[in-house]
Amino acid sequence: MLGLVPSSSYLFYRRLAAARTLSAATPLSVKMARSALDEVTDSGAFDRSPSTFRSFVSRDSSAPFPAVAGRYHLYVSYACPWASRCLAYLKLKGLDSAIGFTSVKPIFGRTKESDDHLGWVFPATRDEEPGAEPDPFNGAKTVRELYEIASTKYTGKPTVPLLWDKQLKTVVNNESSEIIRMLNTEFNEIAENPGLDLNPAHLQASIDEINDLVYDAINNGVYKCGFAKKQGPYDEAVTNLYNALDKCEEILSKQRYMCGNQLTEADVRLFVTLIRFDEVYAVHFKCNKKLIREYPNLFNYTKDIYQIPGMSSTVNMEHIRKHYYGSHPFINPYGIIPAGPSIDYNAPHDREKLFL
């Protein structure tokens, strides 16, 4: 009887696994850039590496990186939740005319001929992938190339978001939590919506408390579930995930947003995971104990934020679905994209009526 023919992505990862086994015995002269596969510990748990470029843009005109219109560019992936929260800030603050952005293709590709690293790549033309564009300033074919322009010895994880200084041709910052705070305050003189403060002083303690809960158990928690290689770490991660979601559901039963009745940074950070949850994480990352649609407050809250002017443009569900199901053959070897659920986030919600 004829057997199934493995997909090209499946065969590639088989060869990649063999290459890594060989490289463990025979060190190579070329270091491979890190990926999520390198962030799973011996215990089988996923442990995300910290970001490495941590400079700051300042409203001070004498600073090394002053907040000047047209000087900076944001490289993102619509699929990536960390990048999408930066894109949300561009839209909410009205900074998209002062800071341009470019999105990569949704599915990982080879980033260099000399090794087997897979990562974010740019399309060759504007027509190749709707929503993605070639690098407009450096002619880079991959995000990895941008990091190597900034630092020729860089061997870390070439991630998005990436805030790029066009003048100095370097990475300013690749930590999304820091980029969004720069966008919130440092560009107000050139923002179209400078009055919006997503991290107001009187709510900062509450925002930081919610961020601590949401980042570890929810934002990163879904990845801990999906990338776990042993049952124990998965069980711990999924328990923490749903405990945190239950806590958020309880909070949102009493107020419109996570820190009261005012939209804050904490809401943007939570939203980017919720919008991907039922479409991707429930299946791909095995977060199927309960769907967001089964949480009345969380689901309506997600629709509420999605319907804020500008927010829906930061959500490209086609890119999201293509990326997760197509970029992790160690989880989904044949790259099959499930048919559903195709949720209508423009449907009515009750949040503004409950909390006037």
Side-chain angles (χ1 to χ4, degrees):
M1 183 175 67
L2 293 175
L4 290 172
V5 179
S7 69
S8 58
S9 60
Y10 176 77
L11 291 173
F12 178 81
Y13 263 79
R14 290 292 299 272
R15 291 195 295 268
L16 178 56
R20 284 181 170 156
T21 302
L22 177 62
S23 66
T26 309
L28 299 176
S29 59
V30 178
K31 282 189 175 182
M32 179 159 25
R34 290 175 56 80
S35 70
L37 286 173
D38 301 300
E39 297 180 313
V40 178
T41 67
D42 291 340
S43 69
F46 176 66
D47 184 18
R48 188 179 298 277
S49 301
S51 302
T52 51
F53 287 86
R54 310 296 283 270
S55 297
F56 280 79
V57 175
S58 172
R59 73 191 83 175
D60 183 351
S61 61
S62 65
F65 298 101
V68 178
R71 176 165 172 171
Y72 304 101
H73 195 75
L74 190 65
Y75 290 97
V76 302
S77 164
Y78 282 111
C80 172
W82 320 103
S84 292
R85 62 193 193 184
C86 296
L87 191 54
Y89 267 67
L90 282 189
K91 301 296 184 180
L92 292 171
K93 292 288 293 186
L95 283 167
D96 26 356
S97 60
I99 303 172
F101 73 92
T102 298
S103 177
V104 295
K105 293 169 63 174
I107 299 178
F108 284 165
R110 282 285 291 274
T111 61
K112 189 173 282 191
E113 291 300 320
S114 59
D115 60 44
D116 292 322
H117 178 259
L118 298 178
W120 301 113
V121 299
F122 296 100
T125 67
R126 289 177 176 270
D127 299 328
E128 182 181 334
E129 179 75 50
E133 296 181 345
D135 173 28
F137 303 109
N138 306 284
K141 295 180 180 179
T142 70
V143 168
R144 181 179 179 181
E145 286 183 38
L146 294 174
Y147 279 89
E148 292 174 347
I149 291 171
S151 175
T152 56
K153 297 182 179 180
Y154 186 77
T155 56
K157 190 178 173 186
T159 58
V160 292
L162 185 159
L163 185 62
W164 181 262
D165 184 335
K166 295 187 287 183
Q167 180 177 312
L168 298 180
K169 288 189 175 295
T170 193
V171 179
V172 179
N173 197 295
N174 67 339
E175 170 50 55
S176 64
S177 65
E178 294 174 356
I179 294 173
I180 61 176
R181 292 205 169 176
M182 291 180 227
L183 297 177
N184 184 55
T185 59
E186 301 308 301
F187 291 88
N188 278 341
E189 290 188 5
I190 55 176
E192 295 175 8
N193 193 11
L196 176 66
D197 186 357
L198 294 165
N199 189 31
H202 70 286
L203 291 176
Q204 284 176 3
S206 177
I207 290 169
D208 289 343
E209 181 181 356
I210 293 296
N211 285 347
D212 287 344
L213 167 72
V214 168
Y215 170 75
D216 187 61
I218 300 177
N219 295 149
N220 202 38
V222 293
Y223 285 87
K224 290 180 181 181
C225 294
F227 289 158
K229 288 187 174 181
K230 294 183 180 178
Q231 192 67 43
Y234 167 79
D235 289 342
E236 180 181 355
V238 81
T239 297
N240 292 338
L241 168 65
Y242 280 97
N243 286 342
L245 287 173
D246 289 344
K247 177 65 175 176
C248 292
E249 175 74 2
E250 179 186 359
I251 291 171
L252 292 170
S253 71
K254 303 170 185 175
Q255 57 199 40
R256 185 169 182 178
Y257 300 113
M258 288 300 294
C259 296
N261 290 323
Q262 176 180 346
L263 181 76
T264 69
E265 172 188 300
D267 299 298
V268 175
R269 290 173 56 136
L270 176 58
F271 169 79
V272 295
T273 298
L274 297 181
I275 198 72
R276 290 162 172 76
F277 200 97
D278 289 9
E279 292 275 3
V280 171
Y281 299 147
V283 176
H284 190 61
F285 280 171
K286 307 175 187 70
C287 302
N288 62 346
K289 181 180 177 182
K290 190 173 181 179
L291 300 174
I292 298 303
R293 285 170 290 166
E294 298 176 82
Y295 289 96
N297 294 302
L298 276 170
F299 185 43
N300 279 309
Y301 165 84
T302 303
K303 291 186 286 185
D304 188 7
I305 296 179
Y306 180 84
Q307 292 172 31
I308 294 172
M311 286 299 292
S312 64
S313 69
T314 72
V315 180
N316 186 323
M317 201 57 73
E318 184 73 9
H319 277 223
I320 291 168
R321 289 160 56 80
K322 279 186 175 181
H323 168 68
Y324 285 97
Y325 291 116
S327 297
H328 306 138
F330 52 96
I331 296 176
N332 187 30
Y334 293 100
I336 303 299
I337 301 176
S342 301
I343 301 163
D344 180 12
Y345 290 103
N346 280 312
H349 62 80
D350 58 1
R351 302 299 291 172
E352 77 281 2
K353 296 179 182 177
L354 289 175
F355 307 107
L356 293 175

